[in-house]
Amino acid sequence: MLNVGHHYFVGGGSDRYMLALGALLKSRGHAVVPFATAHERNEPTPWADYFPAGVNPSEPRLTDALRFLWSTEARTAMQRVLAEAQSDLAHLHIYYGQLTASILGPLHEARVPVVQSLHEYKLACPVYSFVSNGAVCEACAGQSFWRALPRRCNRGSVMRTAASIAEAYLSRWAGDVRRVDHFIAVSDFMRRKMEEYGLGAGRITTVHNFVDAKAVEPATDTGSYAFYFGRLERLKGLFTLIEAAGAVPALPLWIAGEGKARSELEAEVQRQGWSHIRFLGFQRGQALEDLIRGARCTVLPAEWYENCPMSILEALAYARPVVGSRIGGIPELIEDGVDGYLFEPGNIEELRAILRGFSSEPEQTVEMGRAGRAKVKQRFSPDAHYAQIRAVYDQVLHT
């Protein structure tokens, strides 16, 4: 089968999933052929010579702008791979903006069934996020992409927004819905949203992300701090988090990550004199694992439609309870009062009360952590994920 995405290295969550899925399928005896754009950071693969040039988003030139809309190189490269690999199925991840919808034609012409994992809201929103100017927005309603232009939804830029709109309409014309046999939504929330806008109705199955809890050593003590790890962006709810945590000095808050909101967050913490709130910068590998394991709880206070955040599943795998906002796909991963707590997005007092509870009753951390780890081992394990993915593949191949 073809495993298709932006990059063949971990540049984001969808890349990480694409690589993990490829490894999972190979471990079950499947022949997996990767297809992505060429990049110096790509993992080694004998198929690298087939990878087309990608778009440089940091310093785009005219050729990058044109390639963002339609990549003739990607179309030709896909034709070459299909001629060589003779794949019986293609699993797409995020392909737009790099490979572009140009790859859909060759797959259709070769009569290769196509499955796509929906990691973002791209089918319904030209900027992929249901976010405009710092707030949740569904104005385009899955088809009226032109509505993004007066709102300048892409970074406040008319030009960037116009390019996103053009790409969305071109992709729809090329078959981004019509030529996909089955969609995989990473949350029930996403599946319902796509169906609400008539996108892929009857062709969408929810399969959440997965984590191998057996591969990590769980925490066994109560931990000593609340912990957030991820991008430092306003819509992640971090200003709500620091306001809530500022009044709970008995439970320190540690924040790991980088992002546009970091300087503003740090300035507010300093202005308020909240010395128990620390910013750790970007963390990964063993350092991040140790930070998760040492937490009393982790927190994801999002104020936008998160889908299936890996940070929740990872924390539960380490036997750490998770506090999350009741928005998007987050409530599907946290059982309120059992392996964590849910609160209304932006509700400072409700979140503060939860943090105070962890501060005064640290023993609940161990019990909740055990429950969370048991859940991910059963519901979000590699074995469970493979069974669900294989069921989708079998349905598509035998329809």
Side-chain angles (χ1 to χ4, degrees), residues 218-393:
T220 57
D221 58 13
T222 60
S224 58
Y225 48 85
F227 186 46
Y228 170 88
F229 59 105
R231 294 197 318 275
L232 306 190
E233 307 286 349
R234 181 170 285 275
L235 278 173
K236 289 290 187 176
L238 292 169
F239 288 91
T240 296
L241 176 57
I242 63 172
E243 286 290 332
V248 192
L251 182 65
L253 170 64
W254 292 6
I255 297 173
E258 294 289 351
K260 292 182 291 186
R262 177 171 178 173
S263 59
E264 192 177 350
L265 286 162
E266 288 183 317
E268 179 64 13
V269 167
Q270 185 175 8
R271 187 178 73 84
Q272 296 286 354
W274 292 327
S275 59
H276 61 289
I277 299 179
R278 295 176 54 191
F279 292 87
L280 308 177
F282 178 73
Q283 302 288 326
R284 64 180 177 182
Q286 188 64 51
L288 179 58
E289 294 174 15
D290 291 342
L291 286 166
I292 298 172
R293 196 178 288 111
R296 185 163 299 176
C297 64
T298 68
V299 190
L300 183 55
E303 294 170 9
W304 77 291
Y305 297 153
E306 293 271 7
N307 278 314
C308 184
M310 284 301 299
S311 61
I312 293 179
L313 296 181
E314 289 166 348
L316 295 175
Y318 281 96
R320 298 292 82 175
V322 182
V323 180
S325 48
R326 197 176 278 108
I327 193 170
I330 293 175
E332 300 170 31
L333 306 181
I334 300 171
E335 190 171 354
D336 194 24
V338 176
D339 50 39
Y341 291 105
L342 295 168
F343 69 97
E344 289 304 309
N347 192 318
I348 295 170
E349 290 300 325
E350 192 177 4
L351 176 54
R352 183 176 293 154
I354 294 171
L355 296 177
R356 281 179 172 151
F358 275 110
S359 174
S360 61
E361 300 176 37
E363 62 278 359
Q364 67 180 306
T365 293
V366 175
E367 183 178 350
M368 283 186 159
R370 287 172 180 163
R373 181 173 167 85
K375 180 174 72 177
V376 296
K377 288 172 70 174
Q378 179 181 12
R379 290 180 50 199
F380 304 103
S381 69
D383 287 343
H385 191 80
Y386 174 72
Q388 295 173 74
I389 290 291
R390 182 60 189 268
V392 172
Y393 290 172

Side-chain angles (χ1 to χ4, degrees), residues 29-51:
H30 295 268
V32 180
V33 176
F35 184 77
T37 55
H39 198 283
E40 60 184 10
R41 292 174 58 191
N42 279 344
E43 297 287 332
T45 170
W47 296 96
D49 289 342
Y50 292 85
F51 291 3

